[in-house]
Amino acid sequence: MKAGIVGLPNVGKSTLFNCLSNAKAQSANFPFCTIEPNIGVVNVPDPRLQKLEELVNPERVVPATVDIVDIAGLVKGASKGEGLGNQFLGNIRETDAILHVLRCFDNDNIVHVDGSVDPIRDKETIDIELQLKDLDTVDKKLDKVKRAARTGNKEAQSEEAVLLKLKQGLEAGISVRAIEIDDKAREEFVKPLQFITDKPVMYVCNVDENSAVDGNAYVDLVRENVKDEHAEVLVLAVGTEADITELDDYEERQMFLADIGLDEPGSAKLIRSAYKLLNQQTYFTAGVKEVRAWTITVGSTAPQAAGVIHTDFEKGFIRAEVIKYNDFVTYGSEAKVKEAGKLSVEGKGYIVDDGDVMHFLFNV
């Protein structure tokens, strides 16, 4: 699962990527600094994993990860191939969620591609280009579906109605994710077309250091603008975060954070939010050899969770032994959890909860 960092050129995308991945993508004060997308595998901060490590004292600890992609900046006309438009749109189509970076700070020393700071204008520039690309996808599909619909094909007629609704919404400047379509039709007709504006989105407001905690007037404008999108807005002083990641000493980093009123790096909150945006959750395995966080889609069954470890675990699934994370912490060990009767045995229909500590029995 990949989350793509998008935005206009020069709004802080590559600096943010460096904060998240420590991959040192090229970052400079001119447009189109990023040409090829940079991909970073980022650990998901999870204090539960640290607690399990303390209790189990394993030989190694393996956190959950999420892929973050730094995509080239987009400009007006991208949907028609302007700038790096075709490349940008191809790269973003391959991601599963969007982290849309908006510049929400004033600094005369950092150029803006449009000459002034206006996060709403910037957001609309990208929205329009993505919507135009999706509109092109709708039109091409409609051409095929209309022919079948005219023959009396009921399914084609249903699909045509959905596509016409999408076309109407996109032409009105509404992203696919915000167009009201019932779940069955969305699953059947919308999802297979992989619309760019159907991807879940989080708006990252890049602010100055003084606005890192409460935001500023630019952030207020963004929150008001996106209130009907069901999208998260996250405030991040990207330049300051970059300075913090350069510090080697943990205590020094914590002092830096405390000075600006933060209890943890904003980048850590962003990674966790991106993980949830991708509809992912974590379960754990905990033994003396290894304590590990495993990533599964929300709503996964026990066999599906087992399959993340190895496909044979899913094929030959017999049952799962499950300990709730809070019970593991309360009793301090698997043995004491069993003594207290808090270990449950679950079958194929069990839906895994976030934080479950699990052991699988299987036979191939």
Side-chain angles (χ1 to χ4, degrees):
M1 301 293 285
K2 292 190 287 190
I5 301 176
V6 306
L8 290 179
N10 230 23
V11 296
K13 300 186 307 304
S14 293
T15 305
L16 174 60
F17 176 80
N18 289 337
C19 289
L20 299 179
S21 68
N22 294 322
K24 303 304 175 197
Q26 188 184 7
S27 171
N29 186 22
F30 58 89
F32 299 127
C33 184
T34 304
I35 306 299
E36 293 296 328
N38 298 295
I39 300 177
V41 180
V42 182
N43 292 342
V44 179
D46 193 333
R48 297 175 300 182
L49 193 65
Q50 297 168 357
K51 186 64 181 177
L52 289 173
E53 180 184 10
E54 291 172 14
L55 293 171
V56 179
N57 194 26
E59 292 176 15
R60 68 170 186 161
V61 177
V62 183
T65 61
V66 60
D67 286 357
I68 303 291
V69 187
D70 176 25
I71 297 172
L74 176 147
V75 294
K76 291 175 184 175
S79 58
K80 306 298 182 186
E82 294 290 328
L84 299 171
N86 289 332
Q87 186 171 339
F88 172 96
L89 294 165
N91 292 333
I92 194 174
R93 196 180 290 280
E94 294 172 5
T95 65
D96 303 289
I98 297 171
L99 307 178
H100 187 159
V101 181
L102 296 168
R103 177 171 169 175
C104 293
F105 67 90
D106 294 306
N107 187 333
D108 293 338
N109 295 320
I110 300 177
V111 297
H112 190 288
V113 71
D114 286 328
S116 62
V117 178
D118 184 342
I120 306 306
R121 177 201 59 210
D122 294 354
K123 174 186 176 297
E124 288 174 352
T125 295
I126 288 193
D127 283 350
I128 288 168
E129 296 305 324
L130 300 186
Q131 289 159 4
L132 285 171
K133 197 64 179 178
D134 281 350
L135 190 57
D136 184 52
T137 301
V138 170
D139 286 338
K140 287 176 180 175
K141 185 67 175 177
L142 262 174
D143 286 342
K144 297 177 182 177
V145 171
K146 279 180 176 177
R147 289 194 291 271
R150 281 196 292 268
T151 67
N153 183 308
K154 296 294 185 185
E155 183 174 344
Q157 289 173 347
S158 297
E159 185 171 10
E160 182 184 26
V162 171
L163 290 170
L164 287 170
K165 189 170 185 179
L166 290 173
K167 180 178 173 69
Q168 183 181 18
L170 287 164
E171 287 177 339
I174 303 171
S175 293
V176 171
R177 74 180 75 85
I179 298 172
E180 289 191 17
I181 295 170
D182 70 71
D183 291 342
K184 184 174 181 295
R186 186 172 284 274
E187 191 70 32
E188 192 172 350
F189 302 128
V190 179
K191 281 194 175 181
L193 293 175
Q194 295 183 302
F195 291 109
I196 297 174
T197 66
D198 196 32
K199 298 178 188 294
V201 64
M202 174 165 54
Y203 294 100
V204 182
C205 294
N206 182 10
V207 300
D208 59 88
E209 183 178 314
N210 293 331
S211 306
V213 177
D214 298 320
N216 55 30
Y218 290 130
V219 175
D220 293 341
L221 288 172
V222 172
R223 287 190 172 120
E224 177 63 24
N225 185 267
V226 307
K227 64 183 181 183
D228 296 326
E229 287 191 36
H230 310 295
E232 185 175 351
V233 175
L234 192 125
V235 177
L236 204 65
V238 175
T240 304
E241 295 275 339
D243 292 339
I244 292 172
T245 60
E246 292 294 327
L247 299 173
D248 294 326
D249 184 75
Y250 173 78
E251 289 186 7
E252 200 174 349
R253 288 200 301 270
Q254 292 305 114
M255 286 174 61
F256 198 144
L257 287 167
D259 283 345
I260 61 174
L262 298 175
D263 55 1
E264 69 171 344
S267 54
K269 294 176 183 176
L270 189 147
I271 295 165
R272 286 198 297 271
S273 297
Y275 193 66
K276 290 179 181 177
L277 195 68
L278 289 162
N279 200 34
Q280 302 296 287
Q281 66 180 28
T282 301
Y283 77 88
F284 302 102
T285 50
V288 291
K289 290 285 185 185
E290 177 184 88
V291 167
R292 183 167 186 150
W294 299 90
T295 299
I296 55 172
T297 302
V298 174
S300 292
T301 62
Q304 289 170 332
V308 172
I309 299 176
H310 197 288
T311 52
D312 285 349
F313 282 31
E314 182 172 5
K315 291 175 185 174
F317 179 89
I318 298 173
R319 65 181 182 272
E321 295 178 348
V322 181
I323 301 171
K324 295 303 176 185
Y325 169 78
N326 287 338
D327 288 336
F328 201 108
V329 172
T330 298
Y331 294 98
S333 71
E334 183 176 329
K336 289 181 180 178
V337 168
K338 287 180 178 178
E339 287 176 16
K342 292 291 186 178
L343 182 146
S344 65
V345 177
E346 306 290 350
K348 291 182 177 180
Y350 177 71
I351 304 298
V352 180
D353 283 333
D354 184 53
D356 279 353
V357 181
M358 305 185 75
H359 175 69
F360 300 102
L361 283 83
F362 69 102
N363 182 32
V364 177

